[in-house]
Amino acid sequence: MKIHKPSRHLFRYYDSLDEMGSRSSLSREVDVGNDHWGMNYHEAAIFLEEGENNEKFDSHPRHPAALPAYLLVHNNWYYGLDLIASLVLLALAVAEEPAVADFTLPVGIHGTLELMALGIITIELFLKLQWTGFSTIWKHKRTSIKAGALLIMACEALIVLIRQESHFRVTRALRPIFLVDTKVCGNVRRFIRQIFQSLPPILDMLGLLMFFVSSYALLGYYLFSDHHHNLYFKTLPDSFVSMFVLLTTANFPDVMMPSYASSKWNAIFFISYIGTVLYVLMNLMLAVVYETFTGIEKDKFRKLLLHKRKACKLAFPLLVSKQNPDGIKFKQFSGMMQYYAPRISNRDVVLIFRQLNASGSGSLTSEEFFGIYDAASLRWHLKDPPDPWFNAAWPPLRFVCRAARALVLWKYFEHIVYVLIIGNGVAMFIRIAQSAQSLEESATMFSNSWDTYLFLSIFLFEALIRVIAIGWTQYIGSGWNIFDLGVTLAALLGSLVLLFNPTFTVVVILRPLRLLRLFKLKKRYRDIFGTLVLLSPLMWSTAVVMLVMYYFFAIIGMELFASSSEALKNCCVNTTVEDFFKYSANGTTAIGYYYMNNFGNLLSSGVTLFELTVVNNWFIIMDAFAHVTNQYSRIFFMLFYLYTMVVLTIVVASVLEAFRFRIQYKRQTSKRDEEQMLLEEVRVEWNSLISQVQDSKYIDGLRTNFVPGGVTIYVGKRRRNREVLQRRMYMAEIEKWLVEDEVLDRGIDLREVAEGILDSRLRDSTA
């Protein structure tokens, strides 16, 4: 939470006779005759931050004594400290037994580091309980889980330090809880919540899926167990494992061939099984999850919208005065903004207030104040700048800038750029087709030849021309410009690296990246790139969830199987997977490297789990561990497969939902409608600004941003993110949600609303 204390001079013009409409619960007892607006501004900003971060209001500080602890925890420094402590805890798994060879630490060191990191997290939890109360531990599941994990891990760390030896510590798998609970992982927590909300239909489908797997396993056992050369159905457990693995197609057609050799009619069994479970039930599961996820995504947007609205309702009474109880004046709004968004300039505060105050009354009504979150995200610039950015430059330089501007605005400029990119692609194709005596020579010709530097120089010159023409701020406002400049500089750096180190051939990938710009020419690719932009926050959350999942299973795998890593060499004699684990000190067979898929340390465990995620031949790894440990070890691998299948199914559903959402949005929104949606125009007349601000020093600071005695027009631009597009797509639903929320707040019977019996004041307030 970014609540900051503004400097004292900002409140000099707040000395007013306006009497507070309501006093903040964080205010200390003061004389009745004094108005302490500062604490009202502070608490109002806290409410707005809680609405933006989707935090529950029952954890809001209610007493002045709770404010110091609240401010200590909710600041960027402590956020960073909490994140570092969580990452240190996760990283300790590299240094603890079984450790990565080059990172092994003595027990005393890693035990002490663990206690220090746990201590930092415990302090944060203790401070939080200062304003939420200890009863919160039992009310909030996340807090109770975190407190329980802290207690268990602290006790275990002390035992490790006392014994100076690590023991069986499967609870280390719970360490990602602390990372997920940090400020930076807020979206990750929402994605995990969506996973749990999507579980009911998934579990229903998994139950149906397991029914078919078990049924076919039973049938397969009775059909094929008496075939002496068929090792897949010897026992009923073997039959179930074979059919479960066959669900992933990893051992198809291997498992079918012995039965197929006995009778060609046996193929019907396997074909019907694959057709039922893989092509029907698995796809049906995706359809069910997609439908559920779509509803969850809309419901998440609704809840967040209403949560922000409630935050505004709670903040509004703290910003009105007794003289004007129905509206927020500019000075109260500006005072609150110094806490809520301290980095916003005075100019932007004026423009945000003007944009919100659509009625032009000079004070914000509650309905107008509800738009604070959207208005605060706008980025402002003059509608028609009187001069380009280079107007005040040295005359000869000004001439060059004007020429660059004319060149960039030339209608054929973009066509020339695309021709140069195509020429770069042709040059690369010619270079890769040329014969070379070694890989180093081929890489040098491809990424360190004269044509490489020619095209890179041209692309850098193009970027320079654009910057000169439109200015650096406007240039980096385009994602494609950032991409073009970034890949060009990266390719140039790669060429220089290859010049001094010809063996570093990996840099050859950098030069072709500029060709991606060509995909922008086709609408379908633009839709794909646009979907990727919308999905970027979700992809980040998905990556963190997958890493957390890998860490969880890696710790369990190390505790269960680390001692069996060496036993994998030359294991599984007289089994179907024997050849995959043949090992010799002088070399091994082409397929005999599977002994490296073990749980000897955190890094090798991660690689093994990734191979299991890919599914291909995953049963070979499972069978080997079942052979060197016991048959029950298969449960670990099967659970991991089911968990990854659930997460990846939800990820696929989210990608489909995002793509469908974007396509529907593009069909329903014209280019002109989109421009109107993303842009807000504010007209500021100087005399009205003076009457609005009513403070000479504040006005003096605005003279450089507005035309004294005249009219200034600014344009605010929204970021084109998913939330903005959702507000456009769900306009009709939003009106319905707001009416329902108002109805619930006023305690009106929903049946009366459905019958059309609604108070006229409610209609007026929600119109």
Side-chain angles (χ1 to χ4, degrees), residues 10 176 306 315 352 367 371 595 664:
L10 294 171
L306 297 180
I352 292 171
E367 286 295 328
Y595 68 89
Q664 287 184 347

Side-chain angles (χ1 to χ4, degrees), residues 217 231-243 631 634:
L231 302 178
Y232 296 101
F233 297 93
K234 279 297 180 185
T235 65
L236 195 57
D238 288 340
S239 180
F240 177 80
V241 171
S242 297
M243 300 312 293
Q631 296 298 320
R634 297 180 187 274

Side-chain angles (χ1 to χ4, degrees), residues 426-549:
V426 172
M428 286 189 290
F429 179 78
I430 294 174
R431 288 296 184 185
I432 203 65
Q434 291 178 344
S435 60
Q437 297 180 354
S438 64
L439 287 176
E440 290 79 4
E441 183 181 350
S442 177
T444 300
M445 289 191 303
F446 185 79
S447 295
N448 199 25
S449 55
W450 66 268
D451 53 280
T452 302
Y453 292 105
L454 173 63
F455 282 105
L456 291 179
S457 300
I458 293 174
F459 293 147
L460 286 177
F461 180 73
E462 174 225 343
L464 179 62
I465 290 294
R466 291 182 186 272
V467 172
I468 293 175
I470 62 179
W472 175 253
T473 302
Q474 188 174 348
Y475 178 82
I476 62 175
S478 168
W480 279 109
N481 287 342
I482 296 175
F483 171 79
D484 291 341
L485 181 60
V487 298
T488 301
L489 293 176
L492 180 60
L493 179 62
S495 298
L496 296 177
V497 169
L498 198 63
L499 180 65
F500 295 101
N501 185 10
T503 61
F504 198 69
T505 56
V506 68
V507 298
V508 298
I509 191 60
L510 298 175
R511 185 180 178 186
L513 291 179
R514 187 63 193 268
L515 296 177
L516 284 174
R517 182 66 182 260
L518 297 175
F519 290 94
K520 185 185 176 184
L521 294 173
K522 194 172 181 61
K523 180 181 181 300
R524 180 170 297 144
Y525 291 121
R526 291 199 299 271
D527 290 336
I528 292 174
F529 289 136
T531 304
L532 289 176
V533 172
L534 292 179
L535 282 173
S536 55
L538 179 64
M539 291 297 101
W540 157 252
S541 300
T542 302
V544 174
V545 170
M546 292 296 291
L547 289 175
V548 165
M549 179 188 67

Side-chain angles (χ1 to χ4, degrees), residues 124-151:
E124 184 265 340
L125 181 62
F126 178 77
L127 290 173
K128 183 177 180 180
L129 295 177
Q130 297 301 301
W131 73 83
T132 61
F134 284 88
S135 60
T136 305
I137 294 181
W138 313 114
K139 293 180 180 178
H140 296 171
K141 294 180 181 179
R142 198 173 81 229
T143 304
S144 60
I145 294 174
K146 185 176 181 179
L150 277 172
L151 180 61

Side-chain angles (χ1 to χ4, degrees), residues 298-480:
K298 181 181 290 189
D299 189 60
K300 182 182 73 172
F301 173 75
R302 180 187 66 84
K303 289 181 178 179
L304 185 58
L305 177 72
L306 297 180
H307 187 74
K308 289 181 177 180
R309 188 177 178 89
K310 184 175 181 180
C312 293
K313 289 180 180 179
L314 294 171
F316 185 82
L318 297 170
L319 301 175
V320 298
S321 62
K322 290 184 178 180
Q323 290 77 11
N324 187 26
D326 297 324
I328 302 173
K329 292 184 177 179
F330 175 78
K331 59 184 177 182
Q332 279 80 35
F333 178 81
S334 179
M336 182 274 298
M337 290 296 290
Q338 303 304 323
Y339 285 102
Y340 175 62
R343 297 182 180 179
I344 290 183
S345 65
N346 290 344
R347 181 206 69 175
D348 289 356
V349 173
V350 170
L351 295 173
I352 292 171
F353 185 86
R354 285 296 187 102
Q355 193 271 329
L356 289 173
N357 190 212
S359 63
S361 62
S363 60
L364 301 178
T365 64
S366 59
E367 286 295 328
E368 291 174 335
F369 186 63
F370 291 153
I372 179 63
Y373 293 106
D374 176 54
S377 66
L378 295 172
R379 297 295 177 262
W380 300 94
H381 61 86
L382 285 170
K383 181 181 180 181
D384 297 309
D387 300 304
W389 70 273
F390 51 79
N391 189 64
W394 183 44
L397 179 61
R398 197 184 314 158
F399 173 78
V400 174
C401 293
R402 287 200 181 102
R405 191 180 185 89
L407 178 61
V408 170
L409 296 178
W410 185 36
K411 63 179 181 179
Y412 296 112
F413 180 76
E414 291 293 336
H415 296 77
I416 294 175
V417 172
Y418 283 118
V419 169
L420 290 172
I421 294 175
I422 294 173
N424 183 36
V426 172
M428 286 189 290
F429 179 78
I430 294 174
R431 288 296 184 185
I432 203 65
Q434 291 178 344
S435 60
Q437 297 180 354
S438 64
L439 287 176
E440 290 79 4
E441 183 181 350
S442 177
T444 300
M445 289 191 303
F446 185 79
S447 295
N448 199 25
S449 55
W450 66 268
D451 53 280
T452 302
Y453 292 105
L454 173 63
F455 282 105
L456 291 179
S457 300
I458 293 174
F459 293 147
L460 286 177
F461 180 73
E462 174 225 343
L464 179 62
I465 290 294
R466 291 182 186 272
V467 172
I468 293 175
I470 62 179
W472 175 253
T473 302
Q474 188 174 348
Y475 178 82
I476 62 175
S478 168
W480 279 109

